[in-house]
Amino acid sequence: ESEFVNPVREIAGMEVYPEKGYMIDKKPAKVKVEKYNQYFWCGCGYGRSCQPFCDMSCKQPWLKKIIKGGPVRYIAPETKEVWFCNCKQTENRPFCDGTHRSEEVQQGNFDHPKQLWEPKGN
């Protein structure tokens, strides 16, 4: 069993977003969490301002049809350093489970932000 466990897994809506989000990075983010503080991990991958945490981009009504996944609530049971998943493909949300080492993630292209629409020519 992983040393990183989400104590609010059952009440955090873990089954609400079964689809994996857009891959942001090929490596996890190491964050020092504070005991009893609440964190919202970005599960969709479209958040641009505070990865690995959610900026509620997924809650925009005009993006609902294209966004997969959503925020995952986490309350830290103790103060410690935690590895949050940035490839968004983890099975142990919101924590890194090593999935970023897979060939699919390692061959992903992260050079630019994901386009939410197709640019139109003149």
Side-chain angles (χ1 to χ4, degrees), residues 3-63:
E3 70 174 290
F4 299 117
V5 178
N6 188 351
V8 293
R9 186 176 197 121
E10 286 76 31
I11 58 175
M14 296 298 286
E15 300 304 318
V16 173
Y17 304 108
E19 299 170 308
K20 306 288 198 262
Y22 172 69
M23 292 183 274
I24 289 297
D25 203 345
K26 298 178 184 181
K27 60 191 180 309
K30 186 177 184 180
V31 177
K32 182 178 181 183
V33 295
E34 299 292 328
K35 186 175 185 174
Y36 302 136
N37 282 359
Q38 179 174 253
Y39 301 87
F40 286 91
W41 173 78
C42 172
C44 72
Y46 281 86
R48 293 290 171 235
S49 61
C50 56
Q51 286 292 341
F53 301 112
C54 184
D55 67 1
M56 299 300 166
S57 293
C58 55
K59 299 299 181 188
Q60 301 301 323
W62 56 88
L63 299 178

